[in-house]
Amino acid sequence: MTAAIMAAGGPTPRGTQVTPVRSGPVRGDWVRAAGVEFGDRAIYFVHGSGYVLCSARTHRGLAARLSRETGLPVFVIDYRLAPEHRFPTAADDVTGGYRWLLDNGRRATDVVIVADSAGGHLSVDLLLDNARTSTPQPAGVVLFSPLIDLSFTLAEHHQRHGAEAMASARVGRRAAELYIAQEPADSPRLRLRVPPGTTLPPLFVQASDAEMLVGDAVHLREMVVAAGGSCELELWPGQVHVFQALPLLVPEATAALRRAARFIADALANSNTSTRERVS
């Protein structure tokens, strides 16, 4: 989804407060809706757009509406983009942003990750890295139209069968190739697999049943559930890619975002309850 479409269909609400972060290699923005204050809990947002486009600024409107619906501050990581910065730069920047939140006093149980499109791949890579390194997992993860299959084979299949054309599998593959460069396609950080028994937080995934990445969303849920995890999947009829970002164009966007906000509230409550039970 282009920055122009996001700006037209989901501009930043009035009163939004933005606090830039420049801390060593970590770059991003804290985004807060009017009246939202900093506290213990936060959302970590990983934007999409094929590893080559967009930024913390382009996704500010979506981040601000998430902040408004949840009452939480949202940290939007401004990871470096291809082709200037190839794999694994974006993935390392996303991992670094999460570690930065924890190093600056936030407990993992007080953080929820939200991501869209290619940010979904980066977020699942982060979860798998957390599991490998015994880093605490966040309380939950929300993914909007996640990209999981960087070969775009699943996307091509659905596009041949009439998926909406806002995003093209051919264009998506070319963008991903600028990021992947010469890395083998079966690299474990590119072709993501969830080993059985991997400790993951609960996931909540929304996609359109008519978009080319619907197969990626279904594939992700199947992987997580097969590994013993929890992944709730909602397929919204007839929508476009990341429709949650376009409330002025898509009437269902606000309802979808509110369902995501309810999942976030429940995930944070359940995570902290589990922590208290383990301590006691």
Side-chain angles (χ1 to χ4, degrees):
M1 183 178 297
T2 67
I5 293 173
M6 294 190 72
T12 303
R14 290 183 180 180
T16 298
Q17 303 172 75
V18 179
T19 306
V21 170
R22 304 292 183 268
S23 179
V26 176
R27 299 288 186 272
D29 289 340
W30 279 109
V31 178
R32 292 177 292 144
V36 173
E37 301 296 336
F38 287 111
D40 293 332
R41 295 175 171 179
I43 291 171
Y44 181 44
F45 191 94
V46 184
H47 73 78
S49 291
Y51 307 96
V52 298
L53 296 170
C54 289
S55 64
R57 184 180 182 87
T58 61
H59 281 63
R60 187 172 295 168
L62 178 54
R65 285 186 292 279
L66 267 172
S67 178
R68 182 175 63 198
E69 295 297 339
T70 61
L72 298 173
V74 179
F75 179 61
V76 188
I77 185 71
D78 218 355
Y79 59 84
R80 289 168 290 177
L81 301 175
E84 292 81 7
H85 302 282
R86 310 272 184 154
F87 173 85
T89 303
D92 288 346
D93 285 354
V94 168
T95 298
Y98 180 73
R99 303 288 194 274
W100 176 81
L101 286 172
L102 303 189
D103 290 344
N104 280 271
R106 281 189 168 77
R107 300 182 303 171
T109 52
D110 287 330
V111 176
V112 171
I113 295 173
V114 179
D116 75 287
S117 197
H121 187 280
L122 292 168
S123 296
V124 175
D125 174 73
L126 168 59
L127 298 181
L128 295 174
D129 186 72
N130 287 345
R132 285 191 295 266
T133 60
S134 299
T135 301
Q137 298 283 20
V141 179
V142 174
L143 302 177
F144 301 136
S145 299
L147 169 64
I148 299 299
D149 171 25
L150 296 192
S151 74
F152 281 81
T153 302
L154 291 171
E156 278 190 330
H157 169 78
H158 287 280
Q159 198 159 49
R160 284 197 302 269
H161 289 79
E164 59 90 10
M166 177 179 285
S168 155
R170 179 177 57 84
V171 172
R173 180 187 294 109
R174 287 182 177 177
E177 287 171 349
L178 292 175
Y179 174 59
I180 295 168
Q182 303 304 313
E183 186 72 14
D186 61 352
S187 166
R189 295 189 72 184
L190 295 175
R191 183 171 293 174
L192 301 179
R193 298 180 179 89
V194 183
T198 301
T199 300
L200 295 175
L203 279 77
F204 179 81
V205 180
Q206 290 179 336
S208 165
D209 69 351
E211 68 169 300
M212 72 171 185
L213 293 186
V214 62
D216 290 60
V218 173
H219 175 59
L220 174 60
R221 181 184 182 278
E222 290 173 347
M223 279 201 305
V224 171
V225 171
S230 170
C231 181
E232 181 178 353
L233 173 61
E234 292 186 348
L235 297 180
W236 288 65
Q239 298 302 327
V240 297
H241 182 62
V242 196
F243 66 95
Q244 300 86 347
L246 306 173
L248 298 188
L249 303 177
V250 180
E252 294 84 356
T254 298
L257 207 60
R258 286 175 179 166
R259 289 186 61 80
R262 284 197 292 271
F263 170 85
I264 290 169
D266 290 344
L268 288 167
N270 293 338
S271 182
N272 281 275
T273 297
S274 298
T275 300
R276 288 195 297 271
E277 290 173 350
R278 288 195 297 270
V279 171
S280 63

